[in-house]
Amino acid sequence: MTDPRQTQRLSADEAGIAAAAELLRAGRLVALPTETVYGLAADASDDRAVASIYAAKERPSFNPLISHLPDVDAARRQGIFDAPALALAKAFWPGPLTLVVPASSGCTICSLARAGLDSVALRVPSHPVARAVLQAAGRPIAAPSANRSGRVSPTQAEHVLADLAGRIDAVLDAGPTAVGVESSIVACLGGAPRLLRPGGVPRAALEAAIGQALVIVEEGGAAPLAPGLLASHYAPRAAVRLDADAPRSSEAWLGFGPEPTGSARPALAFNLSPAGDLTEAAANLFAALRQLDDRGPKTIAVAPIPMHGLGEAINDRLRRAAAPR
Ligand code: TXA
Ligand code: MG
C-alpha cells in the first residue's frame, strides 16, 4: 500500500505547470495530460520514484516504462538511434509514437524504469502542457497510463481521480485528451524495426516513413518461449533459487529484511531492503540482480519476499528470472 496522499488538482496554466514540474523534481507522482491518455508521471532517473508508480497503480508486474522527453535532442541523449529510428522520430515527434532503442552510455533512465533491460522506450509527446512540464522538469519522465492496473486508460482528469485519488500527489487537468489510445511502440534495435504495440500513429504511416514493412510483435504476445526468455524481460545468466532460507556455499545471496542468522554472509550479497520496505526493494531489484549476475555466480539464492503491496510485482519478476531456460 502507498501512504495516503492529498491529491491536488492543478490547472493547466503557468502556475500549475511549474508546480507539477517541482513535484516531479522532488520524486513525487503527478498525473499529466498527453495527447494520447493521462500518464502517471515520475522522475525516470529515480528508482524510488519509479517504484512508487507501480505501488500507486497496484501493478502486479514490472513492465518497462516509457520515458518522456521534451524534444528530439533530449531523447537522443538517452538512446542510440539507427536510420529507421531517426526517420520515425523526424516524421512523428512530437506525437503519439514511442521508440524502443538501445540505451546510450549517458542514459540517465534508472534500471527499474527499464526493467533491467539495455534498451529504453522514449517518447516526445505533442501535448503543449506535457511538453512544458517536461521542459521545466529537465529530466526524463516515466509515465504509464494513469489508471489502476486492470482498469481502462484515463482520457480525463476525472478518470484519473476515480482510480488514483489519495494515491498520487497531483493531477494536472488539461481537459480531455485528443488521441485517446496509447502511443504506437516501434522497436529499432538493429535489424528490421518491429511494431510492439499498435497505437496513435497508424501502421501504414509508420511504414511509409521508413520505406519498409514493420515486423509485428504482439505486446505480451504468446511467444512459445519461457517467460524468462521473452525479449522484453531481463534474464540473469545465473540460475535463481527462490524462497531460500539462507545461501548455500558458492551461491550469491539476494536478501530482504533481516539477514538469516547462523550462516556466514556470502562474499557476493545484496540486501534489497534491510528494513523490509517493499518500495525500497522494488527500487533496488533490477540493479541488484544485474550487480550480482555481473560477478558470474552459478546461482543467486533469493530470500522470501512477502506478497503484499509491491511484493506481488517483485515476486512476479523473480519467478520470471527463475524460469527454466
Ligand atoms: O501513450 C502512451 O504511450 C502513454 C502516455 C502516458 O504517454 N504511456 C504508456 O506507457 O502507455 P507505458 O509505460 O504503459 O507503456 C509501456 C510499454 C510496455 O508494456 C512495453 O510494451 C513497452 O512500453 N516498452 C517499454 N520499454 C520497453 C523496452 N525496453 N523493450 C520493449 N518494450 C518496451
Ligand atoms: Mg496502460
Side-chain angles (χ1 to χ4, degrees), residues 37-38 57 59 144-148 150-154 182 197 219:
V37 299
Y38 276 75
K57 282 181 67 92
R59 237 191 197 187
S145 54
N147 51 282
R148 280 212 218 179
R151 310 231 184 127
V152 296
S153 297
E182 281 95 341
R197 178 175 79 183
E219 197 190 12

Side-chain angles (χ1 to χ4, degrees), residues 48 255-260 265 270-282 284 303-306 308 314:
R48 183 92 197 199
F256 175 82
E259 288 297 342
R265 189 174 157 87
F270 192 108
N271 194 308
L272 290 171
S273 171
D277 173 346
L278 288 162
T279 304
E280 181 184 23
N284 285 328
I305 314 275
H308 59 85
I314 294 171

Side-chain angles (χ1 to χ4, degrees), residues 2 6 17 21 51 58 69 74 92 97 116 121 138 198 236 251 257 260 262 273:
T2 44
Q6 192 78 22
I17 287 165
E58 298 185 331
L69 288 311
F92 301 108
L97 170 69
E251 284 182 334
S273 171

Side-chain angles (χ1 to χ4, degrees), residues 47-49 51 62 111-112 278-287 310 314:
D47 284 289
R48 183 92 197 199
F62 296 130
S111 67
L112 185 59
L278 288 162
T279 304
E280 181 184 23
N284 285 328
L285 178 65
F286 290 105
L310 284 184
I314 294 171

